Amino acid sequence: WPVATGRFWLLFPLTVAFGILRFYSTPIPSTGFRLKDLPYFKSLLAPIVIAIVLVLWPAWESGNDLRERVWLVFFWVFLILTINALVFDYRDIQGDRLIGTKTIPVLLGHCRTRGLLVVLAGALSMMSIALCRVGLAGPPMPVVLTLGSVILLHSMQCRLHPALLSLMADILLFLPSVAELFR
């Protein structure tokens, strides 16, 4: 794409993004090191990269300034993705402890991770309200995401089967689309 469009400067950031995505779970050749092995950063690496690719990159590519609205959307997307990632890491606390993978939930434990997720869910609800106020989302958005977060957090306390908990976390990613259907 960079060659076809004559934007050779895109080669470097695309290579970096590809490298991060490629070596997140797969070891870097000759090192045996995966990016997800970075202590505690593993829980945030995928959400930050995906939020950059989904929000900041398109805004920048389209020639828009990275104004307050773009940053609001960026942090909103980052929060949704971070909640999703932390739920998956929460689900895997025992296994991660066993193999020595240092994640935020391993550091905090079950109870404090749930507390962190409550704070993040509250921030997500507030940011959803802010998105409505600036006209970037419809009124159903904060309602749907707040209810989805409450159900997800409740399901964590009920000790659901790991596959069902994963499904609940992934449904949270889908809820903004559902909310926009009713806008």
Side-chain angles (χ1 to χ4, degrees), residues 44-110:
L44 303 175
L45 184 63
I48 195 90
V49 169
I50 294 168
I52 287 170
V53 169
L54 289 178
V55 180
L56 297 183
W57 188 277
W60 186 53
E61 267 291 297
S62 65
N64 293 327
D65 293 335
L66 298 181
R67 297 179 188 210
E68 294 85 17
R69 286 177 164 215
V70 173
W71 286 106
L72 178 64
V73 172
F74 170 78
F75 284 113
W76 180 77
V77 169
F78 176 70
L79 272 174
I80 293 172
L81 294 168
T82 300
I83 291 169
N84 177 269
L86 287 173
V87 170
F88 275 83
D89 288 344
Y90 173 89
R91 179 200 68 185
D92 296 336
I93 286 177
Q94 288 178 330
D96 286 342
R97 274 193 186 131
L98 195 63
I99 62 171
T101 301
K102 296 177 181 176
T103 65
I104 292 171
V106 166
L107 174 69
L108 297 178
H110 285 95

Side-chain angles (χ1 to χ4, degrees), residues 145-167:
L145 284 177
T146 300
L147 287 173
S149 296
V150 167
I151 292 168
L152 176 61
L153 292 168
H154 179 70
S155 68
M156 292 173 70
Q157 286 184 312
C158 294
R159 305 254 184 214
L160 291 180
H161 186 276
L164 189 53
L165 184 59
S166 300
L167 176 65

Side-chain angles (χ1 to χ4, degrees), residues 99-126:
I99 62 171
T101 301
K102 296 177 181 176
T103 65
I104 292 171
V106 166
L107 174 69
L108 297 178
H110 285 95
C111 186
R112 288 188 291 176
T113 299
R114 285 192 308 268
L116 173 61
L117 286 165
V118 166
V119 170
L120 294 176
L124 178 62
S125 295
M126 293 298 113

Side-chain angles (χ1 to χ4, degrees), residues 72 76 79-80 121-146 149 176:
L72 178 64
W76 180 77
L79 272 174
I80 293 172
L124 178 62
S125 295
M126 293 298 113
M127 291 188 84
S128 297
I129 292 169
L131 285 174
C132 288
R133 295 189 120 202
V134 298
L136 295 175
M141 188 67 71
V143 174
V144 169
L145 284 177
T146 300
S149 296

